[in-house]
Amino acid sequence: MRAAVLHEIGQDKLEVLDDVEAVGFGPGKVRLRIRATGLCHSDVSAMSGVLPQPAPFIPGHEGAGEVMDVGDGVTGLSAGDRVLVCWLPACGACPSCKRGQTQLCLAGFMNAGTPNFKRPGGDVFGFAGTGTFTEEVVVGAGCAVPIPDDVPFEIAALIGCGVTTGLGAAINTAKVEAGSSVAVIGCGGVGISTIQGARVQGAAQIVAVDPVASRREAALRFGATEAVSPDEFADAKQRVTAGEGFDYVFEVVGKSATARTAYENTRRGGTLCIVGAGAMDDNFQVNMFELFFDEKRILPSMYGGGDVLRSYERAIALWRAGRIDLESMITHRVRLDGINDALDQMRTGESLRTCVEL
Ligand SMILES: [Zn+2]
Ligand SMILES: [Zn+2]
């Protein structure tokens, strides 16, 4: 079958091959036919080595498709079911799951170190234990979450990562209050979802910050009340908050420099929410005096910061009710052969979300 493979960490091009096999099917597993997958910035970060990932590997973790086959012991799923791919499945039994923080469950994630593909040349890993830039993939049953019939595959794919991450940051983690002032730094697919989450929560002002003009324009369409480039951010803070700083600032880039900017633009007693996925050697610095004296709340948000199944259901309910717009987030569509062009469009900020149809 066909799949897009990265041979070595640090390369920026994938090779589309037709000699890949999905392996590992057996008890507790399901075989999926992927129909749509989104390009998430984490795929690019894993390719470049910012996020840890063994190679060779097949990127992609934001996918949806159909169940082809279910292994022994799998309940609640059968061949033909339409599902989205959850890259962080909850085991339901560990301390994190019992607390209701299934986004912190590591049980299913342990599969990430086991190759779930192979080629004549040897083993191939799937990103984060999934790997959706492929026609077929074998994953644990917990990674396959049934979706209602009215949710198209491409919409379900986005809910599998970017939308859940961004909406959840605003709703679950920061719990944006009605009437508050919000700034969102970084307006790709996750940042746009954060803006939509802040709007759903009733934020009065939402300032989008991004160096790319097309993303600033997009942010306005999705609910930002104004959109500025990074060098205009200080002005916006002055104008919108009389210099005090925003009630909430979301860092959706994953870099210490933008996190520091976000911290400085959060008001005293306000909330800095870290949404971007960054590198292990990039340290965020806060001095002990400001940490104590300014009482800013630093809240990291992982995969929406709440129960992931509940987050999916909520995203679907909001989308169905027309309260969030997911269709317009898909700015580009490609087939697997166009994957490298799509990666370039993501790197330059030209695309919000590219959907790969399989
Ligand atoms: Zn668990
Ligand atoms: Zn992602």
Side-chain angles (χ1 to χ4, degrees), residues 41-42 45 50-51 165 251-255 274-279 301-302:
H41 205 272
S42 299
S45 297
V50 167
L51 295 178
T165 299
E251 199 276 352
V252 200
V253 180
K255 295 213 164 93
I274 302 291
V275 192
S301 185
M302 164 82 170

Side-chain angles (χ1 to χ4, degrees), residues 89-98 101-102 104-108:
C91 74
C94 74
S96 291
C97 284
K98 285 180 176 162
Q101 294 178 305
T102 64
L104 301 180
C105 178
L106 291 176

Side-chain angles (χ1 to χ4, degrees), residues 87-312:
W87 56 268
L88 194 55
C91 74
C94 74
S96 291
C97 284
K98 285 180 176 162
R99 289 185 195 106
Q101 294 178 305
T102 64
Q103 80 278 16
L104 301 180
C105 178
L106 291 176
F109 208 53
M110 294 306 174
N111 292 331
T114 308
N116 50 346
F117 300 96
K118 76 173 185 192
R119 293 186 56 219
D123 289 337
V124 179
F125 295 89
F127 180 39
T130 58
T132 57
F133 293 176
T134 173
E135 291 172 342
E136 292 176 24
V137 62
V138 173
V139 292
C143 296
V145 179
I147 51 171
D149 287 344
D150 64 332
V151 182
F153 288 126
E154 57 184 31
I155 297 295
L158 300 195
I159 291 172
C161 187
V163 167
T164 291
T165 299
L167 279 183
I171 300 173
N172 292 332
T173 306
K175 299 182 172 65
V176 170
E177 284 188 21
S180 59
S181 61
V182 170
V184 177
I185 302 177
C187 299
V190 177
I192 292 292
S193 300
T194 305
I195 288 168
Q196 299 209 67
R199 192 192 54 191
V200 164
Q201 292 287 98
Q205 287 107 9
I206 305 173
V207 176
V209 186
D210 199 287
V212 180
S214 63
R215 289 192 172 190
R216 294 198 297 272
E217 285 158 24
L220 294 171
R221 291 197 301 275
F222 286 96
T225 52
E226 61 180 289
V228 299
S229 64
D231 55 8
E232 297 165 328
F233 190 26
D235 257 10
K237 171 186 171 188
Q238 194 60 39
R239 200 160 11 85
V240 174
T241 73
E244 191 192 5
F246 293 85
D247 295 320
Y248 304 87
V249 181
F250 293 87
E251 199 276 352
V252 200
V253 180
K255 295 213 164 93
S256 60
T258 37
R260 183 67 212 182
T261 300
Y263 183 84
E264 286 166 7
N265 285 282
T266 304
R267 71 162 166 81
R268 296 183 71 215
T271 298
L272 161 60
C273 185
I274 302 291
V275 192
M280 287 190 189
D281 60 354
D282 185 14
N283 292 303
F284 171 56
Q285 291 204 338
V286 186
N287 73 56
M288 289 306 288
F289 176 77
E290 62 187 354
L291 185 60
F292 145 80
F293 189 71
D294 289 333
E295 214 184 81
K296 298 180 185 182
R297 279 135 224 273
I298 302 175
L299 300 181
S301 185
M302 164 82 170
Y303 202 9
D307 180 278
V308 287
L309 298 182
R310 175 74 199 106
S311 293
Y312 297 159

